Amino acid sequence: MTPPKRYSRQREKILEAVRTATVHPTAEMVYETVREEIPNLSLGTVYRNLNLLTEEGKISEVVLEDNIKRYDGNTDDHYHCICESCGRIFDVSLDAEPLVNELAEQIRDFTIDSHKIEFYGHCENCSE
Amino acid sequence: MTPPKRYSRQREKILEAVRTATVHPTAEMVYETVREEIPNLSLGTVYRNLNLLTEEGKISEVVLEDNIKRYDGNTDDHYHCICESCGRIFDVSLDAEPLVNELAEQIRDFTIDSHKIEFYGHCENCSE
DNA sequence: TTGAGTGCAAACTATTTGCAACTGG
DNA sequence: CCAGTTGCAAATAGTTTGCACTCAA
């Protein structure tokens, strides 16, 4: 079903770029970063690998209202805080299980597999 | 600052279409619906008005991982359940305030204005 | 009358894809 | 060698925008 996979330097560097990024990068940002090491890298390859890595669960997508996909190399359970001023996305680890379960009990006619929580507001830099 | 606004039948029908839709429609779906009443409606007008109505807070955008904007005419506080089989989005009203506040207390260096919760899973039709 | 709103088409942006060349196993 | 992967460019898909025309106020 799923095609076998081979090593590729491009894929390795793309994964590394997402994992080590200090922000949640877009495909374009990953492209620019990896291109410093692999100058003839193509954007198509970046997209192909980001999708592949997402399917494999090695990274995940974050979609905000601007319709641009951003990628997250943090595979631990966590939530996001989105600053409405600078647009940056911050990871937060919260033990939300018990609270979410409590909410889930109120939901009928739907089987919940997973959930997502996003907080919108302002980061420290943009507050004040 | 904000330009004054005039009545337009297009805008009225577009708002009505979003409000009465049984699903959370895409711009394309709104276009098809309203076109039954206003045959020479243009897609550009639909996009312009959906953006305008969103800015006014009369409807809201829902963005999933497929990067297609869907619109929600329900302006009450509520959350979404997304069926991973059929892709449909269901509204759920939950009193999550106390729980969310509890979570919010764990968050540092970020001022929360609002939040969003999405549940992924399977709807009644797609379960089984 | 006049500027907000529209229809139409062209322009944009993000992403995907076809294909020949390349490469890891 | 051979199928997975790449680079490149062309193609999509969703959305935005410029412009002349229309219409609400």
Side-chain angles (χ1 to χ4, degrees), chain A residues 44-55:
Chain A
T45 295
V46 173
Y47 277 107
R48 270 187 291 238
N49 281 298
L50 287 174
N51 285 338
L52 207 151
L53 292 166
T54 300
E55 278 167 36

PDB file of all heavy atoms in Angstrom, chain A residues 44-55:
ATOM      1  N   GLY A  44       9.276  22.248  -5.072  1.00  0.00           N
ATOM      2  CA  GLY A  44       8.414  21.072  -5.205  1.00  0.00           C
ATOM      3  C   GLY A  44       8.857  19.960  -4.271  1.00  0.00           C
ATOM      4  O   GLY A  44       8.037  19.279  -3.653  1.00  0.00           O
ATOM      5  N   THR A  45      10.143  19.791  -4.152  1.00  0.00           N
ATOM      6  CA  THR A  45      10.696  18.767  -3.269  1.00  0.00           C
ATOM      7  C   THR A  45      10.359  19.085  -1.817  1.00  0.00           C
ATOM      8  O   THR A  45      10.053  18.186  -1.031  1.00  0.00           O
ATOM      9  CB  THR A  45      12.232  18.700  -3.439  1.00  0.00           C
ATOM     10  OG1 THR A  45      12.507  18.273  -4.770  1.00  0.00           O
ATOM     11  CG2 THR A  45      12.858  17.727  -2.468  1.00  0.00           C
ATOM     12  N   VAL A  46      10.405  20.337  -1.479  1.00  0.00           N
ATOM     13  CA  VAL A  46      10.070  20.742  -0.116  1.00  0.00           C
ATOM     14  C   VAL A  46       8.615  20.376   0.180  1.00  0.00           C
ATOM     15  O   VAL A  46       8.318  19.736   1.191  1.00  0.00           O
ATOM     16  CB  VAL A  46      10.280  22.261   0.083  1.00  0.00           C
ATOM     17  CG1 VAL A  46       9.759  22.694   1.446  1.00  0.00           C
ATOM     18  CG2 VAL A  46      11.758  22.606  -0.070  1.00  0.00           C
ATOM     19  N   TYR A  47       7.726  20.740  -0.716  1.00  0.00           N
ATOM     20  CA  TYR A  47       6.317  20.423  -0.511  1.00  0.00           C
ATOM     21  C   TYR A  47       6.086  18.919  -0.439  1.00  0.00           C
ATOM     22  O   TYR A  47       5.363  18.421   0.417  1.00  0.00           O
ATOM     23  CB  TYR A  47       5.469  21.018  -1.643  1.00  0.00           C
ATOM     24  CG  TYR A  47       5.124  22.472  -1.405  1.00  0.00           C
ATOM     25  CD1 TYR A  47       5.738  23.475  -2.138  1.00  0.00           C
ATOM     26  CD2 TYR A  47       4.187  22.834  -0.443  1.00  0.00           C
ATOM     27  CE1 TYR A  47       5.421  24.812  -1.927  1.00  0.00           C
ATOM     28  CE2 TYR A  47       3.868  24.161  -0.229  1.00  0.00           C
ATOM     29  CZ  TYR A  47       4.476  25.150  -0.971  1.00  0.00           C
ATOM     30  OH  TYR A  47       4.163  26.464  -0.758  1.00  0.00           O
ATOM     31  N   ARG A  48       6.699  18.204  -1.359  1.00  0.00           N
ATOM     32  CA  ARG A  48       6.521  16.748  -1.364  1.00  0.00           C
ATOM     33  C   ARG A  48       6.952  16.145  -0.040  1.00  0.00           C
ATOM     34  O   ARG A  48       6.258  15.318   0.545  1.00  0.00           O
ATOM     35  CB  ARG A  48       7.300  16.127  -2.522  1.00  0.00           C
ATOM     36  CG  ARG A  48       6.497  16.028  -3.803  1.00  0.00           C
ATOM     37  CD  ARG A  48       7.253  15.249  -4.881  1.00  0.00           C
ATOM     38  NE  ARG A  48       8.406  16.018  -5.335  1.00  0.00           N
ATOM     39  CZ  ARG A  48       8.614  16.393  -6.606  1.00  0.00           C
ATOM     40  NH1 ARG A  48       7.749  16.058  -7.535  1.00  0.00           N
ATOM     41  NH2 ARG A  48       9.674  17.081  -6.936  1.00  0.00           N
ATOM     42  N   ASN A  49       8.095  16.578   0.446  1.00  0.00           N
ATOM     43  CA  ASN A  49       8.602  16.003   1.684  1.00  0.00           C
ATOM     44  C   ASN A  49       7.856  16.470   2.921  1.00  0.00           C
ATOM     45  O   ASN A  49       7.690  15.705   3.873  1.00  0.00           O
ATOM     46  CB  ASN A  49      10.101  16.283   1.807  1.00  0.00           C
ATOM     47  CG  ASN A  49      10.893  15.325   0.950  1.00  0.00           C
ATOM     48  OD1 ASN A  49      10.839  14.123   1.164  1.00  0.00           O
ATOM     49  ND2 ASN A  49      11.601  15.845  -0.036  1.00  0.00           N
ATOM     50  N   LEU A  50       7.401  17.699   2.909  1.00  0.00           N
ATOM     51  CA  LEU A  50       6.626  18.162   4.062  1.00  0.00           C
ATOM     52  C   LEU A  50       5.348  17.344   4.167  1.00  0.00           C
ATOM     53  O   LEU A  50       4.942  16.944   5.255  1.00  0.00           O
ATOM     54  CB  LEU A  50       6.315  19.661   3.937  1.00  0.00           C
ATOM     55  CG  LEU A  50       7.508  20.602   4.166  1.00  0.00           C
ATOM     56  CD1 LEU A  50       7.113  22.039   3.862  1.00  0.00           C
ATOM     57  CD2 LEU A  50       8.042  20.483   5.591  1.00  0.00           C
ATOM     58  N   ASN A  51       4.739  17.067   3.031  1.00  0.00           N
ATOM     59  CA  ASN A  51       3.523  16.254   3.053  1.00  0.00           C
ATOM     60  C   ASN A  51       3.828  14.840   3.517  1.00  0.00           C
ATOM     61  O   ASN A  51       3.090  14.253   4.308  1.00  0.00           O
ATOM     62  CB  ASN A  51       2.880  16.215   1.664  1.00  0.00           C
ATOM     63  CG  ASN A  51       2.173  17.522   1.340  1.00  0.00           C
ATOM     64  OD1 ASN A  51       1.812  18.269   2.244  1.00  0.00           O
ATOM     65  ND2 ASN A  51       1.991  17.808   0.062  1.00  0.00           N
ATOM     66  N   LEU A  52       4.927  14.312   3.020  1.00  0.00           N
ATOM     67  CA  LEU A  52       5.313  12.964   3.387  1.00  0.00           C
ATOM     68  C   LEU A  52       5.616  12.853   4.879  1.00  0.00           C
ATOM     69  O   LEU A  52       5.147  11.950   5.568  1.00  0.00           O
ATOM     70  CB  LEU A  52       6.549  12.600   2.557  1.00  0.00           C
ATOM     71  CG  LEU A  52       6.790  11.141   2.267  1.00  0.00           C
ATOM     72  CD1 LEU A  52       7.524  11.017   0.947  1.00  0.00           C
ATOM     73  CD2 LEU A  52       7.614  10.558   3.388  1.00  0.00           C
ATOM     74  N   LEU A  53       6.377  13.792   5.381  1.00  0.00           N
ATOM     75  CA  LEU A  53       6.728  13.786   6.805  1.00  0.00           C
ATOM     76  C   LEU A  53       5.492  13.974   7.682  1.00  0.00           C
ATOM     77  O   LEU A  53       5.408  13.431   8.781  1.00  0.00           O
ATOM     78  CB  LEU A  53       7.759  14.886   7.096  1.00  0.00           C
ATOM     79  CG  LEU A  53       9.150  14.658   6.479  1.00  0.00           C
ATOM     80  CD1 LEU A  53       9.982  15.941   6.521  1.00  0.00           C
ATOM     81  CD2 LEU A  53       9.878  13.519   7.181  1.00  0.00           C
ATOM     82  N   THR A  54       4.528  14.727   7.158  1.00  0.00           N
ATOM     83  CA  THR A  54       3.289  14.938   7.904  1.00  0.00           C
ATOM     84  C   THR A  54       2.504  13.629   7.979  1.00  0.00           C
ATOM     85  O   THR A  54       2.023  13.236   9.037  1.00  0.00           O
ATOM     86  CB  THR A  54       2.422  16.021   7.231  1.00  0.00           C
ATOM     87  OG1 THR A  54       3.151  17.244   7.188  1.00  0.00           O
ATOM     88  CG2 THR A  54       1.123  16.231   7.993  1.00  0.00           C
ATOM     89  N   GLU A  55       2.428  12.941   6.835  1.00  0.00           N
ATOM     90  CA  GLU A  55       1.724  11.655   6.814  1.00  0.00           C
ATOM     91  C   GLU A  55       2.359  10.657   7.773  1.00  0.00           C
ATOM     92  O   GLU A  55       1.685   9.880   8.426  1.00  0.00           O
ATOM     93  CB  GLU A  55       1.763  11.055   5.407  1.00  0.00           C
ATOM     94  CG  GLU A  55       0.709  11.604   4.464  1.00  0.00           C
ATOM     95  CD  GLU A  55       1.014  11.203   3.023  1.00  0.00           C
ATOM     96  OE1 GLU A  55       1.516  10.083   2.810  1.00  0.00           O
ATOM     97  OE2 GLU A  55       0.776  12.039   2.115  1.00  0.00           O
TER      98      GLU A  55
END
